[in-house]
């Protein structure tokens, strides 16, 4: 497997960064994970908008602009012969001085890598099991809407899910509102309406989330942003998660309690798969 | 300069980790920064307690026990001829699968490095200037008391300080209580009493903090844990920061407002310097 590191394609074993890279020292960086269908980068523009906004927030200047970055990503896919894959783009602030101040770190590190599409669930399981993490997201975190690389809280939340034999963990704020899963957005159905927590700066603006809202509208399923607590998800007529990697993943259980299943999910998922089918064939699907 | 990477001493240029190390990808690790006086590791036991507690919280098994780690650190100091220096120990979860789940990452990465003692303040400046960061610390963060490697919030807070021409940034929680600086603990004097925010799991239990409390008690300055807001620091009769790197650093300004100076600070700092003097000469100072 070849990896792109700062403008060069190198074998996986040689893909390294300095131990003084601030990405390693402090999680001082950001990333995007995109789905590749039929060799094409799905929702490229949407991921790039988030990538650029994150870089601006962190004050890191990406070493490549949009066009050059896309060319590098496509070159990596070709070099590795990938048609169905995940593409990961990682930008860190690079080597600087010791200490939190970012001053003096002027050469960011860019890494592009390809990964297999993860099996979405273990074995024959069809519905995802989730737990509500004990960790709480703070309201004053200016980084909540960025896909940044300081993710230890989510790592521990995922470890909670692993320990419970679950597939993902949901994260709530201190008011008890569930905001998202560790690496996916949350949706639920209620009285024929599709709900999801609002984009108020406290959740990640998911690219699949935005597409699902658009597809729901086109199907005549009204999408609405709303806060929800644990009881709200348990009482919903169906719930699912979205991300580039898992696409649309229906939830079967929250903290061991069985969740209802909605026929609307099946319709939405079919619409998503149709969209992807046309995209993978190189047809214009409005991207 | 030689660096210790996973049991080997290598030149700085060769000190590298995989781009798939979870430390780089997700800030999935922890570290300690110790002061070296006269070639000796100051407050070693205290740093090791925090290191071990952090590793347990993160679920990372350090590849070396206490004795072996200290031997490796001392070997690195000797190899680099360091008598007055900072020693940094970094432990990351190592390479695992893509995604937040720590499962499958079984070989942690250990890096030991030496760094010059930072000039505490720019130029002739004697008093530190601090700002109160706009970021707020959440109450539900299980990692608040660990010196972990997901520190982007602190990086941005330090960038705020840099932009304001200040030396450090203070961090408050959503209730407005100031908890600590980005990489130091906060103390202030009020009516002859030494105050500092309580160790309630929301601040880092600083090794210098603990020593200062002990020294204050011995000097007859009663130490007390208490919450404080911005106005409390501004109205105090003196304030200072502590860390292994900056030792005791008196504050001159908060958000541009001049702070009072206390003669008690001078006494406490003299006691600290006396303590360090004896330690550096190899005398038993109860460590």
């Amino acid at each position: 497997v070849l990896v792109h590191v700062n403008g060069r394609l190198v074998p996986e074993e040689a893909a390294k960064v300095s131990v003084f890279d601030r990405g390693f020292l402090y999680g001082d960086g950001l990333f995007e994970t995109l789905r590749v269908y039929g060799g094409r980068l799905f929702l490229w523009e949407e991921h790039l908008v988030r990538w650029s906004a994150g870089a601006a927030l962190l004050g890191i200047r990406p070493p490549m602009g949009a066009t050059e970055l896309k060319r590098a990503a496509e070159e990596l896919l070709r070099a590795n012969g990938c048609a169905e894959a995940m593409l990961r783009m990682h930008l860190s602030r690079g080597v600087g001085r010791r200490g939190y101040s970012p001053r003096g770190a002027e050469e960011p590190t860019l890494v592009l890598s390809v990964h297999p599409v993860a099996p979405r669930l273990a074995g024959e399981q069809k519905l995802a099991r989730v737990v509500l993490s004990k960790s709480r997201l703070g309201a004053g975190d200016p980084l909540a809407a960025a896909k940044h690389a300081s993710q230890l809280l989510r790592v521990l939340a995922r470890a909670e899910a692993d320990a419970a034999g679950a597939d993902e963990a949901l994260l709530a704020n201190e008011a008890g509102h569930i905001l998202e899963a560790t690496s996916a957005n949350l949706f639920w159905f209620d009285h024929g309406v599709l709900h999801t927590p609002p984009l108020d700066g406290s959740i990640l603006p998911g690219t699949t989330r935005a597409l699902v809202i658009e597809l729901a509208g086109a199907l005549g399923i009204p999408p609405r942003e709303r806060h929800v607590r644990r009881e709200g998800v348990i009482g919903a007529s169906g719930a699912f998660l979205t991300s580039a990697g898992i696409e649309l993943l229906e939830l079967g259980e929250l903290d061991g309690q069985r969740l209802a299943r909605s026929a609307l999910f099946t319709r939405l998922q079919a619409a998503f798969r149709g969209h992807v089918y046309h995209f993978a064939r190189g047809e214009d699907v409005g991207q």
Side-chain angles (χ1 to χ4, degrees), chain A residues 9 104 209 218 262:
Chain A
L9 291 189
R209 176 188 183 279
S262 168

Side-chain angles (χ1 to χ4, degrees), chain A residues 4 104 135 139 177 203 228:
Chain A
H4 174 118
S135 294
H177 297 140
I203 71 166
V228 72

Side-chain angles (χ1 to χ4, degrees), chain A residues 59-279:
Chain A
I60 302 179
R61 186 153 49 158
M64 290 183 187
T67 311
E68 202 185 344
L69 185 62
K70 191 172 187 193
R71 203 179 301 135
E74 289 170 341
E75 184 195 358
L76 183 72
L77 293 175
R78 277 195 304 275
N80 285 298
C82 290
E84 303 301 314
M86 303 304 300
L87 175 85
R88 199 176 184 287
M89 316 198 299
H90 196 108
L91 178 67
S92 95
R93 202 182 301 274
V95 175
R97 305 178 207 163
R98 191 183 65 79
Y100 294 139
S101 169
R103 268 195 296 202
E106 305 293 349
E107 291 184 36
T109 302
L110 175 68
V111 177
L112 309 181
S113 55
V114 292
H115 303 266
V117 177
R120 304 197 316 160
L121 294 170
E124 291 303 292
Q125 188 189 339
K126 285 212 183 79
L127 298 171
R129 290 183 288 244
V130 295
V131 294
L132 178 58
S133 170
K134 290 189 295 280
S135 294
R136 289 288 172 268
L137 299 172
D141 183 356
L143 290 158
K147 201 161 175 72
H148 61 79
S150 276
Q151 295 292 3
L152 197 37
L153 187 130
R154 281 157 205 267
V155 169
L156 293 195
R158 273 304 295 264
E160 278 181 67
D162 291 348
D167 305 294
E168 246 284 24
L170 301 180
L171 292 162
N173 63 14
E174 286 154 35
H177 297 140
I178 299 179
L179 301 182
E180 56 196 351
T182 67
S183 59
N185 289 110
L186 173 69
F187 285 88
W188 68 100
F189 296 104
D190 208 359
H191 293 91
V193 174
L194 177 67
H195 293 282
T196 193
L199 278 194
D200 58 2
S202 64
I203 71 166
L204 195 77
T207 55
T208 310
R209 176 188 183 279
L211 176 59
V212 161
I213 289 174
E214 193 184 312
L215 294 174
L219 287 176
I221 307 169
R224 206 160 292 162
E225 294 192 335
R226 221 187 77 191
H227 285 298
V228 72
R229 295 167 189 280
R230 192 173 163 283
E231 307 73 55
V233 176
I234 290 172
S237 53
F240 63 97
L241 301 178
T242 62
S243 79
I246 61 173
E247 302 175 334
L248 277 63
L249 180 58
E250 198 173 6
L251 294 187
E253 279 180 20
L254 167 54
D255 289 339
Q257 298 210 45
R258 187 80 64 88
L259 303 181
R261 299 180 66 182
S262 168
L264 295 179
F265 175 77
T266 313
R267 286 180 57 203
L268 205 46
Q269 193 172 42
F272 178 84
R273 291 216 189 283
H275 186 89
V276 162
Y277 176 81
H278 292 294
F279 173 80

Side-chain angles (χ1 to χ4, degrees), chain A residues 38-49:
Chain A
R40 305 181 68 207
L41 293 158
F42 191 53
L43 300 174
W44 168 259
E45 299 290 343
E46 289 78 355
H47 282 281
L48 196 77
V49 164

